[in-house]
């Protein structure tokens, strides 16, 4: 088997004002026919006859189209991918039908609280910037996006300097290169780079909040975030290790007191949450890192206090044991993530767009192993202490502290320099 795909340095953050949702809409319309394959049915039959799988997804900064096929069918997959991206038809009936599909998808997303919380978090953190918009876009845009909008987005953003073809599995590199040269000939060679677009409209992190009071909900969902680092920032690796130190916890898993995460142990011992997960999201020029949690309304204050105390502890008091554990957990997670040709192809394509090269695991692991206690504390001071916070919350919110309370708990104090809090983090 082989996986082959096209990674495009274009996502929702690059949409023009008033056209939010175009990148995602385009992803849907790409499979609805081309000049050579005039109907969606013709395309589907060709893919199914190969026993292949064709898919796509859109994020805030990248769009991906990929196929999983048998090794002998890689040339056909490349032909299909090049065809749908260079010569799409956008038939009017399919355009109208996809509006309904995306509106139903939006309804489904509204029921996925993790998606809802992170959309609200981006809206709070990047106010007035496309990076704060949702990927699907608002209802009014979905109803009005036109064929012209889609064509303009392709012409502007699907350009040679911003595209990577990545293949993994049963493939021959030289043959793939020759086939790409043959098939991918109709894209614009506009030299404008993503870095130039980002520099012209940088994302500015804002300390703000989005609260959606829903007292009828049994649980509260909320996320606390600091400004993180960009992909290429040297702090990106220490922040990944910090994410691993903070860890994850879920009541249904049954791991509590024996968890390597001091925060997870504190939550388990205090019965403070249903689940908790640390996150670290990178973008071209910025990032978000923090904690997302689900909890009973009565536990919100104590849980918030514990989370903020653990954030601050990282700037003053971490042990080599917990840092070493976090490094090992991070390396294991990265290795597990590239299981299979699809994951390898995705990893390589994303890294080519992000770094301009594929970073060898030996290099990545060396950079992770270079993160010690001093690095963690220095990074935490740079990104946590006396820094603004973005907050998103949905559910019963009476007991959730105000944003100013969270902000005030980013200050350093004697509690941590004296080492009196969470001593068990030093003993495990």
């Amino acid at each position: 088997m082989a996986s082959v795909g096209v990674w495009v340095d274009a996502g929702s953050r690059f949409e023009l004002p008033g056209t939010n949702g175009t990148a995602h809409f385009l992803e849907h319309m790409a499979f609805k026919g081309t000049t050579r394959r005039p109907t969606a049915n013709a395309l589907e039959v060709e893919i199914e006859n190969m026993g292949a799988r064709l898919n796509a997804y859109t994020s805030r900064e990248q769009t991906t189209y990929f196929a999983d096929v048998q090794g002998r069918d890689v040339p056909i997959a490349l032909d299909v991918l090049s065809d749908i991206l260079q010569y799409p038809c956008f038939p009017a009936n399919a355009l109208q039908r996809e509006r309904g599909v995306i509106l139903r998808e939006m309804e489904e997303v509204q029921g996925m609280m993790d998606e809802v919380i992170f959309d609200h978090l981006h809206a709070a953190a990047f106010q007035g910037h496309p990076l704060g918009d949702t990927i699907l876009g608002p209802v009014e845009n979905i109803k009005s996006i036109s064929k012209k909008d889609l064509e303009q987005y392709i012409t502007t953003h699907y350009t040679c300097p911003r595209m990577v073809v990545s293949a993994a599995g049963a493939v021959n590199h030289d043959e793939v290169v020759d086939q790409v040269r043959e098939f991918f000939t109709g894209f614009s060679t506009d030299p404008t780079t993503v870095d130039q677009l980002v520099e012209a409209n940088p994302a500015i992190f804002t300390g703000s909040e989005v609260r959606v009071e829903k007292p009828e909900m049994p649980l509260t969902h909320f996320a606390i975030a600091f400004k993180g680092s960009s992909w290429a920032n040297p702090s990106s690796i220490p922040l990944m290790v910090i994410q691993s130190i903070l860890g994850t916890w879920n009541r249904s898993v049954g791991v509590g007191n024996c968890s390597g995460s001091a925060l997870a142990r504190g939550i388990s011992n205090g019965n403070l949450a249903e689940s908790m997960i640390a996150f670290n999201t990178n973008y071209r020029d910025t990032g978000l890192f923090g904690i997302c949690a689900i909890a009973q309304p009565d536990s919100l204050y104590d849980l918030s206090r514990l989370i903020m105390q653990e954030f601050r502890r990282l700037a003053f008091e971490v042990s080599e044991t917990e840092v070493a554990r976090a490094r090992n957990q991070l390396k294991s997670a990265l290795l597990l993530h590239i299981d299979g040709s699809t994951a390898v192809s995705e990893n390589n394509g994303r890294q080519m767009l992000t770094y301009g090269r594929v970073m060898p695991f030996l290099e990545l692991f060396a950079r992770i192993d270079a993160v010690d206690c001093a690095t963690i504390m220095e990074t935490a001071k740079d990104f946590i202490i006396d820094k603004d916070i973005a907050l998103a919350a949905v559910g019963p919110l009476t007991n959730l502290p105000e944003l100013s309370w969270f902000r005030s708990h980013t200050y350093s104090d004697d509690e941590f320099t004296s080492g009196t809090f969470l001593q068990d983090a030093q003993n495990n």
Side-chain angles (χ1 to χ4, degrees):
M1 292 296 293
S3 298
V4 58
V6 181
W7 273 257
V8 189
D9 233 344
S12 60
R13 79 169 289 175
F14 302 109
E15 294 163 337
L16 294 173
T19 65
N20 176 217
T22 302
H24 177 258
F25 207 124
L26 176 58
E27 168 210 318
H28 277 249
M29 290 301 300
F31 303 113
K32 303 309 174 186
T34 71
T35 53
R36 288 171 49 209
R37 299 171 173 90
T39 66
N41 183 66
L43 182 60
E44 291 169 4
V45 168
E46 183 174 2
I47 294 299
E48 289 181 2
N49 286 345
M50 291 191 295
R53 180 172 71 108
L54 187 64
N55 212 335
Y57 63 85
T58 306
S59 68
R60 283 179 165 83
E61 288 194 331
Q62 296 178 1
T63 305
T64 301
Y65 302 85
F66 66 94
D68 294 324
V69 298
Q70 297 182 59
R72 66 172 182 267
D73 294 324
V74 168
I76 302 175
L78 286 168
D79 180 40
V80 169
L81 289 170
S82 67
D83 196 25
I84 64 175
L85 297 181
Q86 294 176 110
Y87 311 110
C89 288
F90 303 139
N93 60 336
L95 194 68
Q96 194 61 32
R97 186 167 55 251
E98 285 308 301
R99 296 190 202 279
V101 172
I102 296 173
L103 289 172
R104 288 192 296 273
E105 181 182 349
M106 178 180 288
E107 292 177 359
E108 294 176 4
V109 169
Q110 290 303 311
M112 303 164 62
M113 287 309 302
D114 54 341
E115 297 282 348
V116 172
I117 285 294
F118 275 94
D119 279 344
H120 287 326
L121 187 65
H122 279 79
F126 305 112
Q127 292 185 46
H129 190 278
L131 197 58
D133 294 337
T134 66
I135 295 172
L136 270 63
V139 172
E140 58 268 25
N141 285 9
I142 294 171
K143 292 181 177 180
S144 64
I145 288 173
S146 66
K147 177 180 179 179
K148 181 180 179 181
D149 293 326
L150 300 177
E151 290 174 339
Q152 182 176 9
Y153 191 88
I154 286 182
T155 302
T156 304
H157 298 293
Y158 282 37
T159 63
C160 292
R162 296 171 61 182
M163 301 177 74
V164 167
V165 176
S166 176
V171 296
N172 179 284
H173 177 268
D174 293 337
E175 291 178 0
V176 170
V177 170
D178 290 340
Q179 290 153 8
V180 170
R181 286 199 180 105
E182 177 184 354
F183 297 135
F184 290 75
T185 58
F187 292 105
S188 167
T189 56
D190 182 342
T192 304
T193 66
V194 165
D195 287 335
Q196 290 173 314
L197 295 176
V198 169
E199 185 177 353
N201 187 23
I204 307 300
F205 181 89
T206 306
S208 184
E209 64 179 351
V210 173
R211 292 177 181 241
V212 182
E213 179 74 47
K214 290 191 174 183
E216 71 278 7
M217 291 177 60
L219 298 171
T220 300
H221 302 248
F222 71 100
I224 307 164
F226 295 90
K227 177 184 176 181
S229 74
S230 65
W231 282 108
N233 190 303
S235 296
S236 62
I237 300 297
L239 284 174
M240 291 169 66
V241 179
I242 287 178
Q243 177 190 6
S244 187
I245 291 174
L246 293 169
T248 64
W249 183 82
N250 192 303
R251 185 185 300 279
S252 64
V253 176
V255 177
N257 294 337
C258 58
S259 172
S261 162
L263 178 59
R265 293 197 300 274
I267 290 174
S268 176
N269 291 336
N271 193 30
L272 297 179
E274 301 302 307
S275 66
M276 173 278 298
I277 184 169
F279 60 87
N280 178 41
T281 303
N282 304 105
Y283 294 111
R284 178 71 64 164
D285 58 337
T286 187
L288 290 174
F289 93 95
I291 295 288
C292 185
I294 304 172
Q296 295 285 343
D298 292 342
S299 302
L300 291 176
Y301 179 82
D302 289 338
L303 175 59
S304 299
R305 180 175 180 273
L306 179 64
I307 289 173
M308 295 310 296
Q309 287 176 332
E310 179 66 0
F311 272 137
R312 288 187 296 171
R313 180 187 73 84
L314 294 172
F316 300 101
E317 189 178 287
V318 290
S319 70
E320 182 54 44
T321 300
E322 65 179 323
V323 174
R325 181 191 300 118
R327 291 195 301 257
N328 290 333
Q329 290 174 338
L330 174 58
K331 289 185 288 187
S332 295
L334 291 170
L335 286 174
L336 290 171
H337 181 67
I338 58 162
D339 182 23
S341 61
T342 303
V344 172
S345 177
E346 179 181 18
N347 178 71
N348 293 349
R350 187 176 61 250
Q351 287 202 27
M352 285 297 296
L353 290 182
T354 303
Y355 305 119
R357 66 189 181 97
V358 177
M359 185 183 300
F361 272 94
L362 286 177
E363 177 185 345
L364 178 59
F365 285 6
R367 293 176 63 182
I368 292 172
D369 287 335
V371 176
D372 56 15
C373 292
T375 307
I376 293 295
M377 290 187 286
E378 179 182 356
T379 303
K381 288 173 183 175
D382 289 341
F383 285 86
I384 295 173
I385 300 303
D386 197 16
K387 294 298 187 293
D388 286 334
I389 284 180
L391 171 69
V394 177
L397 305 179
T398 302
N399 296 323
L400 185 68
E402 297 295 325
L403 181 65
S404 59
W405 180 93
F406 284 100
R407 182 63 173 85
S408 69
H409 281 67
T410 65
Y411 301 140
S412 60
D413 57 38
D414 291 339
E415 180 179 14
F416 295 92
T417 55
S418 62
T420 58
F421 184 76
L422 285 177
Q423 286 293 327
D424 60 335
Q426 301 294 314
N427 300 324
N428 290 276

